[in-house]
Amino acid sequence: MRKYILTVLVFAGFFTGHAQVIVDRDPEIANMIKEVNADSLQSYIKTMVSFGTRSTVSSVTDRKKGIGAAREWVLSKFNQFAAASGGRLTAFVDTTTYAADGRRVKEPINLGNTVATLKGTDPSDNRIFIISGHLDSRRTDVMDGVADAPGANDDGSGSAAVMECARVMSRHSFPATIVFVTVSGEEQGLLGSGYMARKSKAQGRTIEAVLNNDIMGSNNSNETNIIDNTRVRVFSEGLPAYDLDKQAKQIRQLGLENDGAARQLARYVKEVGERYVDNLEVVMVYRNDRFLRGEIIHLMSRTAMRRCGSPR
């Protein structure tokens, strides 16, 4: 009996020892995770809230209130980060005149995305990765560009994430180009991301992936107020939003309904996110983030890119 128990314990110890998982982490990526600063994120959000409203139809000339002041402040932060990038990070506000559309824009507006580009180190690598969030906020009346709309959560949190990524990543080198952008016009109907998508298509840019961040800090469960800050949801579409008629036959024949570019990217986000951030669960949500609204996808609005036929 003792021999049997000893044998069981030996085998149990053997298999337990070999069942241990060794997490292999790239030192540079691990260091970037450590460089993320909660105080920085909080300060970004507080400053964005201080502009009163960031409505797309608010003032672009007031230096203290409105979307114009907000996007110029984001630009100043990007330029501050650029100083530590060795000349690789450049930033500007990409503007266009958006005509009244009779829906959510009653008169022509100056629409602007604040863009920072971290140039890749490999001249032969033309891939572009976009990290985005929307800077604009709204009231219940989406046409109200005067009254306060603090938008700390929607989407100050996502814009803060974009800015902190720019701060941290601009100190490091990557073979491909990374674009950090806080778009405007999301609440009016994906206007800023649509403008960026059309411009990217016209320029023939090779957009490999888009990681859009919307409402990053919403960790209080609805009605229960249970705080859960150990999980993050990643939304990804299954079927492509464009050229589906051309691809449907192959998708059906090869069973690719769950293997599109967005789904594969989402799986990679989960694998890498959980590897480098302790006690984090990346929850995969296999759909767009809204039913019957907009089609914004959390992995730019990636839908805006797809509508315009961008390569990925």
Side-chain angles (χ1 to χ4, degrees), residues 129-145:
F129 295 85
I130 298 176
I131 301 176
S132 66
H134 72 88
L135 184 60
D136 59 303
S137 60
R138 63 166 291 177
R139 293 177 63 82
T140 301
D141 178 4
V142 73
M143 305 296 286
D144 185 348

Side-chain angles (χ1 to χ4, degrees), residues 211 234-237 260-273 282-286 299:
L211 297 170
V234 175
F235 293 82
S236 60
E237 68 177 1
R263 292 282 167 85
Q264 297 289 49
L265 176 59
R267 294 185 184 102
Y268 186 74
V269 168
K270 177 177 176 64
E271 194 279 327
V272 173
V282 178
V283 180
M284 307 267 283
V285 184
Y286 285 151
L299 278 181

Side-chain angles (χ1 to χ4, degrees), residues 43 60 63 75 233 240 243 277 310:
S43 69
V60 296
R63 295 187 177 183
L75 176 63
R233 296 180 300 169
D243 284 346
V277 182
S310 289

